[in-house]
Amino acid sequence: MVSHDLKPRAERERLCAAARLSRSAPFNGRPGSSGPDLEMPMSAKRVPRPGTDRALPSSPGHAARRAPASADDPDAILERLPIGTRDYIRVLGAILKKHNHEHSAKHKGVSFKTMVDRHRFLVSFFRELRRHTRFSNLDPRQLANRHIEVMVGRWIERGLATATIHNYLSFLRTFAGWIGKPGMVREPQYYVGTESEHAHRTQVATRDRSWSARNVDIAAKIAEIYALDPWVGLQVELCAEFGMRGKEARHFRPHSAVLPREAANPIDAAAFPECNTFVRVSHGAKGGRPRDVPVVAESQRALLVRVRAAVAPGMYVGRPGITSLQAQSRFYYVIRKCGISKKALGVVAHGLRHQRVNDAYEADAGGPSPVRGAETPPPHDQAARQRAARVLGHNRLQVTSCYLGQSVVLRKEAPSCPASADESGSAGDPI
């Protein structure tokens, strides 16, 4: 006996299947996506009211593309401003807007920190060049080597560090490519002379930058910081126990960072076969490169317990309700208030990273590092440097020389170390 409602039932099944298909693969307007269900009603498009020229609201997911030759288009701005204009800040702003997000050599973007550092340096460079030298009418597009020679002389007179001068020339080399003059900025030796102390960067550490090298009582100083600001105290203690950079400590999320050996990076796990627990440092890491630091001491475990108790799940180690920039300013204000500066005690926050890696190297190598007075390599120098590189989060073994001093094995492959100035300065990002 045939049911009389067979056709309506089949129709209902077809409509249900179409509805399921539309929910599982919604139409997004891209090739390969499912189209809208023809049986389902579609909402009418919102159009501007007749007689008005108001544009439709932009999509919440994507910014509107800048129209060519619009008022804020960098090329249009540069075309309107003639060479030699007095409005050099606007010229510089247009060049930065067009190029500052680009990597100097590769087809990729750069970090926000790099963009900020470039912006600050270039504005101060051209301001000083126009106000304090004979080139008072210089347009940034007219930059030449004679201008750079004058500024390098001023930097040397001010006593800037060699690494800082090299960083500044690197910024100018990138800027020269932006204005169509690639290769214009020469090597530092061209500006300072081959015999100058500023001709080459210091490639290896020549002195111990640890806090203990300056006779700073680390425990007492951290307790002093805790008394002034407990959040900054936690951040500084993370730097001391795990060798974190200041930014990494401020952005550390403890509830998702503790990992068993099976979940750790295989390279980091292989370097520490005796460890079963690791801490992942990823937020705020330099270059966005995460690393897994081994938990080897009871003091580290106790710190992790206290940090997880103080921080809400999913949050970072810092005062709730403040921005990243405010947290950074607070961090450096508190540590300077407690005397942590080159001027006061001769140490900076980054010195705790030196402290951690030198202490770990000494325990693994069976003797002190070269910067701590070793005249001959300890028995296990090479293996200890391999482990130190993993703690630091670097893939190149040569970078350990920037913290430990030169190894006899690595002497022919000395690295070029970035500036090791205070993180609060603008000389460069500590490694």
Side-chain angles (χ1 to χ4, degrees), residues 165-234:
I165 295 175
H166 283 236
N167 285 344
Y168 287 173
L169 289 175
S170 177
F171 287 152
L172 290 174
R173 193 172 293 111
T174 301
F175 180 80
W178 295 348
I179 61 175
K181 299 180 180 180
M184 182 192 73
V185 180
R186 307 284 294 276
E187 296 300 318
Q189 297 89 325
Y190 175 84
Y191 302 102
V192 302
T194 56
E195 302 300 324
S196 172
E197 62 177 343
H198 300 291
H200 302 281
R201 286 186 177 188
T202 302
Q203 296 182 321
V204 297
T206 56
R207 66 180 181 88
D208 187 6
R209 299 181 183 275
S210 305
W211 285 19
S212 60
R214 291 284 182 169
N215 299 318
V216 176
D217 188 334
I218 299 176
K221 186 57 64 176
I222 291 179
E224 182 181 347
I225 295 172
Y226 263 108
L228 186 58
D229 191 318
W231 289 109
V232 177
L234 285 174

Side-chain angles (χ1 to χ4, degrees), residues 90-111:
R90 196 174 182 196
V91 171
L92 185 58
I95 296 173
L96 286 168
K97 187 173 185 178
K98 182 178 180 181
H99 297 288
N100 199 21
H101 64 282
E102 301 171 351
H103 191 274
S104 59
K106 301 179 181 179
H107 292 289
K108 67 174 189 177
V110 296
S111 67

Side-chain angles (χ1 to χ4, degrees), residues 56-211:
L56 291 172
S58 59
S59 170
H62 304 280
R65 186 185 299 275
R66 184 185 297 112
S70 62
D72 60 343
D73 181 63
D75 290 324
I77 294 174
L78 294 174
E79 187 176 352
R80 288 196 302 268
L81 296 173
I83 298 293
T85 178
R86 297 180 62 182
D87 196 358
Y88 74 99
I89 288 293
R90 196 174 182 196
V91 171
L92 185 58
I95 296 173
L96 286 168
K97 187 173 185 178
K98 182 178 180 181
H99 297 288
N100 199 21
H101 64 282
E102 301 171 351
H103 191 274
S104 59
K106 301 179 181 179
H107 292 289
K108 67 174 189 177
V110 296
S111 67
F112 288 111
K113 181 184 183 306
T114 299
M115 290 191 286
V116 170
D117 288 345
R118 285 175 177 174
H119 184 277
R120 288 176 176 172
F121 165 72
L122 290 171
V123 171
S124 63
F125 174 86
F126 284 105
R127 180 183 292 123
E128 181 177 355
L129 191 62
R130 290 174 61 96
R131 294 182 180 179
H132 302 287
T133 71
R134 66 181 186 274
F135 305 109
S136 57
N137 296 320
L138 178 70
D139 188 303
R141 294 167 288 188
Q142 296 176 308
L143 182 67
N145 264 319
R146 63 181 182 275
H147 309 127
I148 299 175
E149 290 172 0
V150 171
M151 289 299 295
V152 170
R154 293 179 63 86
W155 297 340
I156 295 175
E157 289 178 4
R158 293 211 302 267
L160 295 188
T162 301
T164 303
I165 295 175
H166 283 236
N167 285 344
Y168 287 173
L169 289 175
S170 177
F171 287 152
L172 290 174
R173 193 172 293 111
T174 301
F175 180 80
W178 295 348
I179 61 175
K181 299 180 180 180
M184 182 192 73
V185 180
R186 307 284 294 276
E187 296 300 318
Q189 297 89 325
Y190 175 84
Y191 302 102
V192 302
T194 56
E195 302 300 324
S196 172
E197 62 177 343
H198 300 291
H200 302 281
R201 286 186 177 188
T202 302
Q203 296 182 321
V204 297
T206 56
R207 66 180 181 88
D208 187 6
R209 299 181 183 275
S210 305
W211 285 19

